[in-house]
């Protein structure tokens, strides 16, 4: 009887999702807190808008640069470890072979079986080094375009998130009305964002949604109350 081929589906864009989460989470939260804080201290919507846009510009650049440097550091670390492993398989092959055999034994292989696999690996130094990088050091070769892609993804996600809490102030010139609308829109956006993030990262997306909205709401409330207290 013919069987339907088994097709495994795995999520393969975890790095991109992580960058979007990093940028969007800060983009929604920080400008939201800033706008709320300014709304408690000033009565002019254009001041909130100007300060908010300035923060979004600075924040997106800083976050994007941080993502770029982090990805570059990962690539440099991988290159350094790769160079070291390539030297070691030439200069101390027996010690490296013993490490490989120990890895296989940790997976339950018998000593003789592990020795056979080690011998096969030693016949191909490139594969041997790749094995050590992955299973001894737990390192995957990074995408050479990763740094630039990460920087743009984080920066654009920050901008997209940051414009959400500012949007009501463009249409409502009354600061307090703008604040109320900003709270409603941003908390809804945080809830939706938290849910979507949870779908990719946890088995409980609804809990992620509530937690994300709560954290953003608390940050904005704290900023508003502090600004209000200082302004009095």
């Amino acid at each position: 009887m013919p069987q339907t081929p088994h097709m495994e589906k795995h999520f393969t864009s975890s790095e991109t999702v992580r960058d979007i989460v990093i940028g969007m989470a800060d983009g929604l939260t920080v400008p939201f807190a800033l706008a709320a804080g300014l709304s408690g201290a000033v009565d002019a919507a254009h001041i909130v808008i100007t300060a908010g846009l300035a923060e979004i510009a600075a924040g997106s650049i800083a976050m994007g640069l941080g993502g770029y440097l982090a990805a570059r550091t990962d690539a440099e670390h991988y290159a350094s470890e790769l160079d070291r492993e390539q030297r070691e398989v030439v200069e101390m092959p027996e010690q490296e072979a013993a490490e490989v055999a120990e890895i296989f034994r940790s997976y339950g292989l018998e000593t003789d079986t592990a020795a056979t696999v080690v011998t096969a690996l030693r016949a191909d130094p490139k594969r041997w080094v790749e094995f050590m990088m992955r299973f001894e050091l737990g390192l995957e070769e990074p995408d050479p375009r990763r740094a630039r892609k990460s920087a743009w993804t984080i920066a654009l996600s920050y901008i997209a998130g940051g414009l959400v809490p500012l949007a009501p102030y463009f249409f409502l010139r009354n600061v307090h009305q703008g604040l109320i609308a900003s709270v409603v829109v941003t908390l809804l956006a945080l809830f939706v964002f938290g849910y979507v993030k949870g779908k990719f990262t946890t088995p409980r997306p609804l809990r992620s949604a509530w937690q994300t909205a709560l954290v953003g709401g608390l940050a904005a409330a704290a900023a508003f109350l502090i600004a209000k207290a200082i302004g009095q």
Side-chain angles (χ1 to χ4, degrees):
M1 181 177 180
Q3 295 181 346
T4 302
H6 173 62
M7 301 292 291
E8 291 191 12
K9 295 182 179 180
H10 297 284
F11 185 67
T12 57
S13 301
S14 58
E15 291 181 338
T16 300
V17 170
R18 182 188 65 184
D19 290 341
I20 293 174
V21 168
I22 291 171
M24 188 72 74
D26 280 4
L28 283 168
T29 305
V30 178
F32 181 34
L34 174 65
L38 288 173
S39 296
V42 301
D43 292 324
H46 71 275
I47 295 178
V48 177
I49 293 172
T50 301
L53 291 176
E55 196 287 324
I56 291 173
S60 63
I61 293 172
M63 293 289 291
L65 181 59
Y68 179 86
L69 294 176
R72 288 289 300 172
T73 299
D74 289 342
E76 291 169 359
H77 174 62
Y78 182 88
S80 175
E81 292 297 327
L82 178 63
D83 181 65
R84 183 175 66 83
E85 287 295 334
Q86 288 172 336
R87 290 199 314 271
E88 288 181 351
V89 298
V90 174
E91 298 171 359
M92 49 183 71
E94 297 305 322
Q95 292 93 323
E96 290 295 293
E99 291 176 2
V100 174
E102 180 60 33
I103 291 172
F104 283 123
R105 285 195 293 271
S106 71
Y107 281 94
L109 271 67
E110 298 293 336
T111 300
D112 292 342
T113 305
T116 301
V117 179
V118 171
T119 301
L121 270 178
R122 292 183 66 170
D124 188 342
K126 181 180 178 181
R127 297 296 183 187
W128 188 6
V129 170
E130 289 176 355
F131 178 89
M132 298 299 288
M133 292 294 291
R134 179 173 297 181
F135 293 97
E136 181 192 24
L137 302 179
L139 296 175
E140 296 281 352
E141 183 176 5
D143 184 345
R145 300 169 298 177
R146 168 71 183 148
R148 185 177 299 176
K149 182 178 179 181
S150 178
W152 279 107
T153 302
I154 292 175
L156 292 176
S157 297
Y158 190 96
I159 293 172
L163 290 175
V164 172
L166 283 185
Y169 294 95
F170 286 97
F171 304 101
L172 300 171
R173 291 303 175 181
N174 183 286
V175 170
H176 297 294
Q177 291 179 352
L179 175 61
I180 294 172
S182 178
V183 168
V184 173
V185 170
T186 308
L187 288 180
L188 179 60
L190 284 166
F191 186 86
V192 172
F193 168 70
Y195 184 85
V196 174
K197 178 186 70 172
K199 291 286 286 186
F200 289 112
T201 58
T202 72
R204 298 180 178 178
L206 194 58
R207 185 174 69 176
S208 173
W210 283 112
Q211 288 176 341
T212 304
L214 179 62
V215 170
L218 289 175
F224 177 82
L225 292 175
I226 290 172
K228 200 73 173 177
I230 293 175
Q232 291 179 349

